[in-house]
Amino acid sequence: MGGGIFDVTNTSLVFWELVSFAILLILLYRFVYPVLREQIQRRQAAIEQAIEEAERTREEARELLEEYRRQMEEARQEARRILDEARRQGEAQRERTKAEARQEAERIIRQAREEIGRERDAALREVRQEVAEMVVQAAEQVLRREIDREEHERLIQAALDDLEAEVAGSVSGG
Amino acid sequence: MTVTLALLKLSQEQVREKILHTWASGEKSWVIPIHLGPLNLSITKIEWFLFIGVAVTFLFLFFGSRALKNRPGAYQVLVEETYGFGRRMLGGQIGPEGMKWFPYTLSIFVLLLVLNLIALIPNTYPVTSNLSFTGALAILTFILTQYEGVRRHGLGEYLKSWVPEGSGRLMAPALWFLHLIQEFTKPLTLAMRLYANIIAGHLIIFVFLSFILYYGIYFAVVSVPLAVVFYAFEIFVAVIQAYIFAILTQVYIELAIYGEG
């Protein structure tokens, strides 16, 4: 046997195969596989690191969002509180103003009333004076005219009556 | 009629020679005669293509492992993927201990693939279609398998592990003997499978093309398309046979490590 398509005893081929395959293995184990393994491991590490970083970034982002939401909520509550406060203050202010206005109005009304009273008194006094003057004038005019006898008599009689009454009063009293 | 038949017979013989020319002439071409006593260690066309295959294998992986960049190009990806393929698809078939053998089986895979593919170039010598070559490689697998088995279990335990657990006292020797035969048929089939697949593929293509020599040039209409189809199929065979040889080597070694129980 040997040669052709059924070449089982090709010693030189077996020999050179073992030699070259051994050399190939030595070279690959020494120069190729460690480098490739290291490279693949390095890339794997890099990818893992990148994933980790992304994870961390996402965590941070979520925390930030949480923080932001909390701040928003706080701000909203603060705003509501301020609004409530303002409303309450406004309400109080309005009440106070209303009360003040009422007091002021009452004061004005009272003043007005007093004024009116004073004016009326003054007017009355004036009228009374006027009337008195008119009476005096009228009396003058009347007196200037000749008083008829009867009239004279009656007036004198009245005066005498008054005098009499007064005297009687004082006597009976004394 | 007789004349034609004689002619036909003669041309059949010639055609046969043409078909087998690659294998018949391999040992006689490009010879550098080296003789070491009774041993013939001459370098012939067969060895030349073996050397080319080994060189291409090494250079392909070597240059892929140099000039490594973090953003790899297509070539680097190819080499890295080849390595990753070995790690994922070859190593650790049965258990994690087998992982340490994957660089060896990966080397076999790439070397066989390169040799198979080079063999598809016309006028080369298909090294993997030589039974001496595949046989020697299979014997290496056999030696490594037995070595790992003995190293792992010790000789006695290893030989005991050939008998499945729970087999009766009566059956055990028979089963052990069957396993013994199996241990030797493993490398035999390993060698035969690769050799037969590659040589059959080449022979089929040559046979189809030889029809042209036998029936005349017009038969090329049939022969060439058929040959092209088989040539394409041979590319697939080149890959799959390299893979089968490598993965079986890996599995055999791991079986010896973990025992078949």
Side-chain angles (χ1 to χ4, degrees):
Chain A
M1 283 204 283
I5 60 167
F6 204 70
D7 191 14
V8 267
T9 55
N10 193 331
T11 49
S12 65
L13 177 57
V14 170
F15 173 78
W16 289 115
E17 175 189 350
L18 293 179
V19 169
S20 57
F21 188 52
I23 293 169
L24 176 68
L25 284 180
I26 290 166
L27 289 176
L28 288 180
Y29 269 75
R30 180 155 302 171
F31 297 114
V32 174
Y33 291 147
V35 180
L36 282 174
R37 188 170 60 236
E38 200 177 304
Q39 166 71 7
I40 286 172
Q41 275 170 357
R42 199 165 52 230
R43 177 157 325 128
Q44 227 164 25
I47 289 168
E48 266 164 28
Q49 198 187 335
I51 288 171
E52 226 166 75
E53 214 156 286
E55 203 82 33
R56 210 168 47 239
T57 309
R58 205 171 53 188
E59 193 62 36
E60 268 177 26
R62 198 167 48 225
E63 271 167 23
L64 272 175
L65 187 68
E66 204 69 31
E67 172 78 19
Y68 167 74
R69 277 201 185 128
R70 220 188 57 242
Q71 282 181 356
M72 278 286 281
E73 188 56 36
E74 270 176 16
R76 203 170 289 141
Q77 280 179 359
E78 180 73 10
R80 201 175 296 134
R81 202 181 57 70
I82 289 169
L83 206 66
D84 282 352
E85 179 74 12
R87 200 171 285 145
R88 217 180 55 246
Q89 278 184 1
E91 197 72 31
Q93 180 69 33
R94 205 166 59 209
E95 284 302 319
R96 210 164 46 242
T97 311
K98 229 193 256 175
E100 273 174 16
R102 204 160 37 232
Q103 281 174 1
E104 180 73 8
E106 275 168 12
R107 199 178 55 76
I108 289 168
I109 289 166
R110 204 170 51 243
Q111 268 182 358
R113 256 188 210 134
E114 282 168 10
E115 193 78 15
I116 289 166
R118 261 199 311 282
E119 289 291 324
R120 195 184 54 198
D121 288 352
L124 275 174
R125 252 194 325 276
E126 226 165 274
V127 166
R128 205 174 282 144
Q129 214 167 333
E130 198 92 355
V131 167
E133 271 173 30
M134 276 161 72
V135 168
V136 171
Q137 278 180 354
E140 273 177 4
Q141 282 179 355
V142 170
L143 286 174
R144 223 168 279 151
R145 250 184 297 156
E146 276 184 62
I147 303 169
D148 50 40
R149 223 151 155 96
E150 253 177 86
E151 194 71 19
H152 272 291
E153 296 249 337
R154 203 184 54 85
L155 280 172
I156 290 161
Q157 194 56 51
L160 285 175
D161 284 353
D162 282 350
L163 195 67
E164 253 180 310
E166 255 176 73
V167 170
S170 61
V171 169
S172 64
Chain B
M1 191 64 190
T2 357
V3 177
T4 325
L5 250 167
L7 262 173
L8 203 65
K9 251 196 170 139
L10 191 68
S11 60
Q12 254 184 352
E13 192 55 41
Q14 282 173 340
V15 164
R16 206 180 90 85
E17 262 174 43
K18 291 279 182 202
I19 290 171
L20 298 178
H21 177 261
T22 302
W23 293 276
S25 67
E27 241 177 326
K28 297 178 194 87
S29 317
W30 311 0
V31 181
I32 301 175
I34 302 171
H35 291 276
L36 209 78
L39 279 178
N40 174 16
L41 302 180
S42 307
I43 294 172
T44 67
K45 190 177 178 182
I46 305 173
E47 282 78 33
W48 283 120
F49 278 102
L50 170 67
F51 296 157
I52 290 171
V54 169
V56 169
T57 302
F58 174 70
L59 293 178
F60 167 71
L61 291 171
F62 180 74
F63 285 120
S65 72
R66 306 291 123 161
L68 284 175
K69 294 182 222 113
N70 271 327
R71 284 165 187 265
Y75 174 49
Q76 191 185 332
V77 168
L78 190 65
V79 172
E80 281 182 6
E81 277 305 304
T82 305
Y83 186 83
F85 161 81
R87 210 166 55 160
R88 286 190 306 272
M89 305 297 287
L90 292 174
Q93 289 294 321
I94 295 172
E97 287 243 3
M99 273 308 270
K100 67 173 176 177
W101 281 102
F102 93 80
Y104 173 75
T105 46
L106 178 63
S107 308
I108 288 183
F109 170 71
V110 180
L111 176 62
L112 291 182
L113 182 61
V114 167
L115 286 172
N116 286 348
L117 290 176
I118 287 175
L120 291 173
I121 301 167
N123 214 22
T124 59
Y125 183 88
V127 182
T128 45
S129 72
N130 190 305
L131 201 48
S132 291
F133 176 84
T134 60
L137 212 55
I139 287 168
L140 273 183
T141 297
F142 174 79
I143 292 168
L144 289 173
T145 305
Q146 305 314 319
Y147 164 75
E148 269 294 338
V150 173
R151 196 180 67 95
R152 170 86 179 192
H153 302 285
L155 184 60
E157 276 299 306
Y158 175 57
L159 292 179
K160 254 187 240 168
S161 79
W162 286 5
V163 181
E165 272 176 52
S167 51
R169 222 166 247 287
L170 220 62
M171 284 300 287
L175 288 171
W176 187 89
F177 188 68
L178 269 177
H179 192 106
L180 180 69
I181 294 170
Q182 198 189 346
E183 281 303 312
F184 286 97
T185 52
K186 274 176 187 174
L188 188 67
T189 54
L190 210 51
M192 290 297 282
R193 183 184 301 108
L194 179 60
Y195 150 79
N197 270 286
I198 301 304
I199 203 164
H202 283 74
L203 281 176
I204 284 172
I205 293 170
F206 285 146
V207 166
F208 277 133
L209 292 176
S210 72
F211 287 158
I212 300 169
L213 301 174
Y214 189 75
Y215 291 112
I217 188 69
Y218 299 109
F219 207 78
V221 180
V222 179
S223 283
V224 170
L226 279 171
V228 167
V229 167
F230 268 92
Y231 188 90
F233 182 64
E234 279 313 298
I235 297 172
F236 170 70
V237 170
V239 178
I240 206 77
Q241 288 304 323
Y243 175 66
I244 287 173
F245 196 103
I247 192 130
L248 282 180
T249 295
Q250 180 79 35
V251 166
Y252 291 162
I253 293 172
E254 289 192 23
L255 276 176
I257 294 175
Y258 287 100
E260 283 175 88

